[in-house]
């Protein structure tokens, strides 16, 4: 670790109100749960150092490398629709940048923004975020990444006593919609919003730096990235679970994984968060919540941008989302000559049939990609398959080209909650082998994993597992 350095030069560009310099509170008797060695190597870590005391100390917040200024970020946010002015990194510590990525420890102890919390993360939820980050990346979905995970003898109390853990994660940006909502508070809001917007443009949208209307263009670009992100989520059946404005990335990334889930038996109004009593963040609501969150961002940018213009752009969100979503769904079906006007009915009919016949989402598309319809039982899906094969028969592309497109688009594996729960149960008995094996599956979801072939099959009825916000 002696030659490993971080940069915190970006702090000089930010108003000091946006962060607080602080230190971690190390865990007791830390030990490695899992290491994402390829990404660690990519971001500048020497693989020979990974078993050293210094590296464990780094993951535990005890060892601070050259150039690092540990700090927690401030932000606000609308949580389940209600505005909370003072949120911030209540259990995360930003360490600095390496090769364009901000490194952050999650679960490293109390900060200025902990709000009576303990600043900790439990092993259970840390394993979930560690694995899903890499799964989403391998599926081609913009996301934060996970580098390493440690456990400890420190007890953390949620519903019961659990093992404390720290996750080392990275992101090209940790600025959130809620960061701008924080900048909008109080006096001098124009100055602070401008400072943050200029920082974001330099960090994530450098092509806008000299644009005469750069702040409006920034909003448009954020909106477009969000459309792409949500369309990708929906196409793979991913549910975030807590789409608060403080969990929305200004860079268009998936951040802050909590009670997420991949769709199993298809249900449009499925709610994956047991704490979401009103179903605000259901699967089908995600595009509309993203649009709502963008309206909150428009308000926060209003001191420096034309709010009416931003809202008019936001009015086009759902229409653009639907076009992109149906395009992605067409690709999953191998519709190389896809046409929105004619094929959207075919896709809509499929979604209805999947729901009516209670069909597991990911195995359905994988089996269809391999021309295997053995497990596709149900009257509705049978009728749809006739419609689909008639459509394919009239395609100008060969069956080989169609199947190649589908196989490159539809994964064999996604990380379902019951799979993660099996890894967590073993990890709580100090057996981390399934965590590492699921990491391999997550990083290669289109490949073959013979030992875990059963994970590619439709879920059994009693396997559905729903999480809450507790972590």
């Amino acid at each position: 670790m002696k030659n490993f350095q971080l940069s915190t030069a970006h702090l000089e560009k930010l108003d000091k109100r946006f962060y607080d310099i602080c230190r971690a509170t190390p865990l007791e008797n830390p030990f490695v749960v899992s290491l994402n060695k390829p990404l660690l190597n990519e971001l500048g870590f020497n693989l020979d150092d990974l078993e050293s005391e210094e590296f464990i100390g780094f993951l535990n917040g005890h060892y601070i490398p050259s150039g690092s200024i540990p700090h927690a970020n401030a932000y606000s946010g609308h949580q389940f629709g209600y505005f909370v002015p003072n949120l911030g990194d209540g259990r995360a510590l930003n360490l600095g940048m390496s090769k364009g990525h901000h490194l952050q420890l999650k679960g490293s102890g109390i900060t200025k923004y902990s709000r009576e919390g303990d600043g900790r993360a439990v092993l259970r939820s840390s394993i979930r975020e560690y694995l899903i980050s890499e799964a989403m990346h391998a599926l081609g979905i913009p996301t934060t990444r996970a580098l390493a995970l440690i456990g400890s003898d420190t007890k953390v109390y949620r519903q019961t006593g659990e093992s404390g853990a720290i996750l080392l994660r990275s992101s090209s940006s940790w600025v959130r919609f809620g960061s701008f909502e924080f900048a909008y508070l109080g006096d001098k809001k124009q100055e602070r919003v401008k400072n943050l917007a200029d920082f974001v443009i330099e960090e994530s949208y450098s092509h806008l730096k000299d644009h005469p209307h750069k702040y409006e263009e920034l909003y448009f670009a954020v909106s477009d990235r969000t459309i792409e992100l949500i369309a990708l989520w929906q196409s793979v059946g991913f549910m975030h679970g807590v789409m608060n404005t403080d969990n929305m990335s200004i860079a268009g990334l998936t951040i802050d994984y909590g009670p997420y889930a991949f769709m199993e038996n298809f249900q449009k109004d499925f709610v994956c968060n047991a704490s979401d009593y009103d179903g605000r963040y259901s699967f089908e609501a995600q595009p509309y919540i993203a649009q709502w969150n963008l309206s909150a961002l428009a308000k926060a940018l209003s001191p420096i941008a034309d709010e009416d213009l931003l809202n008019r752009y936001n009015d086009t969100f759902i229409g653009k989302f639907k076009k992109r979503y149906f395009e992605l769904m067409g690709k999953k079906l191998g519709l190389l000559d896809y046409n929105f006007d004619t094929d959207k009915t075919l896709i809509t009919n499929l979604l209805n049939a999947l729901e009516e016949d209670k069909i597991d989402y990911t195995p359905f598309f994988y089996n269809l990609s391999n021309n295997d319809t053995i497990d596709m039982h149900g009257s509705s899906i049978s009728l749809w398959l006739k419609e689909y094969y008639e459509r394919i028969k009239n395609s100008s592309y060969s069956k080989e080209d169609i199947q190649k497109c589908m196989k490159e688009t539809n994964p064999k594996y996604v990380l379902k909650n019951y799979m993660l729960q099996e890894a967590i149960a073993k990890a709580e008995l100090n057996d981390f082998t399934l965590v590492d094996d699921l990491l391999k599956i997550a990083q290669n979801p289109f490949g073959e994993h013979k030992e875990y072939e059963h994970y590619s099959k439709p879920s059994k009825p009693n396997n559905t597992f729903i999480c809450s916000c507790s972590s």
Side-chain angles (χ1 to χ4, degrees), residues 30-324:
F31 54 84
V32 170
V33 172
S34 183
L35 300 175
N36 185 357
K37 292 182 179 180
L39 184 57
L40 284 164
N41 188 48
E42 182 183 327
L43 295 190
F45 291 88
N46 187 332
L47 296 184
D48 293 333
D49 290 337
L50 300 187
E51 294 183 8
S52 68
E53 288 186 16
E54 280 186 346
F55 182 69
I56 301 297
F58 172 72
L59 297 178
N60 199 23
H62 178 68
Y63 174 80
I64 301 175
S66 175
S68 175
I69 302 177
H71 59 282
N73 291 328
Y75 47 84
S76 302
H78 279 86
Q79 300 197 316
F80 290 90
Y82 297 96
F83 184 66
V84 183
N86 297 305
L87 293 172
D89 292 330
R91 54 177 174 162
L93 203 61
N94 302 280
L95 304 174
M97 295 189 71
S98 178
K99 299 185 181 297
H101 286 255
H102 295 272
L103 301 188
Q104 186 184 83
L105 298 177
K106 184 175 180 180
S108 53
I110 292 173
T111 75
K112 177 181 176 181
Y113 313 111
S114 295
R115 298 184 303 151
E116 299 182 4
D118 57 18
R120 294 301 189 193
V122 296
L123 182 61
R124 162 178 52 87
S125 61
S126 300
I127 287 173
R128 287 174 55 81
E129 180 161 358
Y130 177 73
L131 292 172
I132 188 60
S133 300
E134 293 309 288
M136 295 288 272
H137 176 71
L139 290 170
I141 300 174
T143 180
T144 58
R145 302 288 303 278
L147 290 87
L149 176 61
I150 60 171
S152 72
D153 289 340
T154 299
K155 283 296 178 186
V156 177
Y157 292 89
R158 295 299 182 254
Q159 287 91 347
T160 61
E162 300 186 57
S163 298
I166 293 178
L167 173 68
L168 175 63
R169 58 184 188 171
S170 71
S171 180
S172 61
S173 173
W174 286 112
V175 180
R176 306 146 187 274
F177 288 17
S179 305
F180 280 93
E181 291 181 294
F182 180 81
Y184 184 79
L185 296 175
D187 58 359
K188 298 184 179 179
K189 63 180 62 177
Q190 183 178 33
E191 179 183 322
R192 281 194 296 272
V193 171
K194 181 179 182 300
N195 174 249
L196 185 58
D198 288 339
F199 175 80
V200 166
I201 287 171
E202 182 174 345
E203 181 173 76
S204 303
Y205 300 90
S206 58
H207 64 287
L208 299 177
K209 188 173 182 180
D210 298 319
H211 197 286
H213 304 289
K214 61 182 179 181
Y215 302 126
E216 286 84 2
E217 290 294 327
L218 169 62
Y219 180 87
F220 302 159
V222 172
S223 178
D224 291 346
R225 286 195 189 182
T226 304
I227 288 169
E228 178 68 12
L229 179 69
I230 305 302
L232 286 167
W233 284 6
Q234 302 294 111
S235 72
V236 299
F238 175 78
M239 293 163 276
H240 185 280
V242 197
M243 287 179 64
N244 298 331
T245 55
D246 53 294
N247 291 337
M248 295 291 293
S249 165
I250 207 73
L253 308 173
T254 316
I255 61 172
D256 290 352
Y257 295 98
Y260 65 83
F262 280 99
M263 185 68 72
E264 296 181 50
N265 288 353
F266 190 77
Q267 181 182 334
K268 297 187 191 75
D269 63 354
F270 188 79
V271 179
C272 71
N273 181 356
S275 304
D276 185 3
Y277 307 113
D278 297 324
R280 178 179 174 84
Y281 299 135
S282 70
F283 176 72
E284 65 181 348
Q286 289 184 141
Y288 301 94
I289 291 298
Q291 183 185 37
W292 191 95
N293 289 339
L294 280 161
S295 69
L297 179 62
K299 171 57 69 176
L301 284 169
S302 63
I304 61 170
D306 183 339
E307 185 180 3
D308 288 340
L309 183 61
L310 305 191
N311 282 325
R312 287 200 298 275
Y313 197 85
N314 195 27
D315 288 341
T316 67
F317 182 96
I318 295 300
K320 291 177 180 177
F321 160 78
K322 286 182 178 179
K323 285 192 174 182
R324 180 57 177 149

Side-chain angles (χ1 to χ4, degrees), residues 263-266 354 357-365 416 457-460:
M263 185 68 72
E264 296 181 50
N265 288 353
F266 190 77
L354 290 175
D357 291 344
K358 298 179 172 58
I359 292 176
D360 197 328
Y361 189 81
T362 300
F364 169 82
F365 283 102
K416 296 178 179 179
K457 305 302 181 183
S459 298
K460 296 177 181 178

